[in-house]
Amino acid sequence: MAGKKPRPLVAGNWKMNGLKASKKEAAALLKGVAAANPKCDVMLCPPATILSLFAEVCRSSKVKLAGQDCHANTSGAHTGDLSAEMIKNAGAKACIVGHSERRADHGESSTDVKRKAEAVYRAGMMAIICVGETAEERKDGKTLKVVGQQLKSSLPQGADHKNTVIAYEPVWAIGTGLTPTPVDVKKVHGYLRKRLIALLGEELGGKTRILYGGSVKASNAKELMSVDNVNGALVGGASLKAKDFLGILAAY
Ligand code: 13P
């Protein structure tokens, strides 16, 4: 594909981890990022309860914040839910939608994910839309079919390289220490790139970042991040400690 490669993004998804005291870890990360100045965008996705606290810590830093999920509506009677507007108001510039843990634990379909991504756009943020196959789907040789379908059904009208990032996270690689081989990653990311170009056109589809996620750590980051069409990482466990996360950022 012609054209400049998009600037990579490495985002740390803290999932259901982190208390107010974790701001020490965020501060250590900022310090490390300022010193190392990696050639990528850096993002943290803390739980919503400490988003505004982290926003204060990250003020005037290059590290940006994202939410982990949002409701599709702006406001209303949805006990326990948070709208994209609330996530933005707490200090986020982006929001993850369709993480496999949401799809599995909360039965979210790609149609739900698309509505959430639309809400993220409406709030003026960037959507990080996750796709990925289960171990069973992979065993059955359905990986490309599954991720292609999830992409097509989760991606809203009006998606482009500025408001959207795709994250390929094989479900079986999340939190397991297992990763696909670089050859497998290349195959899936190449396919997602083709599908993005088909859906958004050569220009926007070519520039939209596709992150890899699933057991990324300092020791495998460089190899995974150098695969064609891998434009960064979505990191879980290894993003909780600044030292580990900085080890991953060193790939850039
Ligand atoms: P791990 O890096 O812990 O495997 O998690 C990946 C992930 O789900 C990030 O969203």
Side-chain angles (χ1 to χ4, degrees), residues 142-247:
K142 292 188 185 148
T143 298
L144 298 185
K145 188 165 172 243
V146 168
V147 299
Q149 188 57 48
Q150 286 176 335
L151 180 72
K152 183 164 178 255
S153 321
S154 307
L155 198 66
Q157 283 276 328
D160 64 31
H161 60 294
K162 293 203 176 113
N163 62 20
T164 304
V165 169
I166 304 302
Y168 167 56
E169 299 204 306
V171 177
W172 54 272
I174 296 177
T176 57
L178 303 171
T179 52
T181 63
V183 172
D184 285 343
V185 173
K186 184 174 172 180
K187 201 160 116 191
V188 179
H189 278 242
Y191 179 73
L192 287 170
R193 176 68 66 209
K194 261 204 334 227
R195 300 297 306 146
L196 275 173
I197 287 173
L199 291 161
L200 306 179
E202 183 78 38
E203 167 82 8
L204 303 186
K207 286 187 183 164
T208 300
R209 291 177 286 193
I210 309 173
L211 312 186
Y212 168 77
S215 296
V216 176
K217 42 188 187 267
S219 57
N220 61 18
K222 206 163 183 97
E223 184 176 42
L224 288 165
M225 296 306 106
S226 56
V227 173
D228 279 357
N229 287 306
V230 173
N231 312 117
L234 185 54
V235 184
S239 70
L240 293 171
K241 291 266 170 276
K243 188 169 165 284
D244 297 342
F245 198 31
L246 287 165

Side-chain angles (χ1 to χ4, degrees), residues 54-181:
F54 275 32
E56 276 169 37
V57 178
C58 293
R59 205 197 329 242
S60 75
S61 148
K62 282 186 187 158
V63 178
K64 303 291 177 229
L65 297 173
Q68 298 179 6
D69 176 55
C70 67
H71 194 278
N73 293 2
T74 315
S75 61
H78 302 287
T79 303
D81 279 315
L82 297 169
S83 68
E85 283 76 6
M86 291 167 168
I87 300 285
K88 165 126 192 260
N89 192 239
K93 302 275 186 233
C95 190
I96 299 172
V97 292
H99 192 282
S100 63
E101 286 149 16
R102 300 288 317 173
R103 291 181 189 257
D105 297 355
H106 300 271
E108 291 181 7
S109 67
S110 290
T111 309
D112 299 325
V113 175
K114 185 183 194 169
R115 291 188 59 225
K116 289 181 179 216
E118 285 164 351
V120 173
Y121 299 168
R122 182 189 67 218
M125 294 191 291
M126 182 179 84
I128 302 173
I129 302 177
C130 303
V131 300
E133 83 287 3
T134 62
E136 173 127 353
E137 288 162 342
R138 175 178 152 89
K139 187 162 67 64
D140 294 345
K142 292 188 185 148
T143 298
L144 298 185
K145 188 165 172 243
V146 168
V147 299
Q149 188 57 48
Q150 286 176 335
L151 180 72
K152 183 164 178 255
S153 321
S154 307
L155 198 66
Q157 283 276 328
D160 64 31
H161 60 294
K162 293 203 176 113
N163 62 20
T164 304
V165 169
I166 304 302
Y168 167 56
E169 299 204 306
V171 177
W172 54 272
I174 296 177
T176 57
L178 303 171
T179 52
T181 63

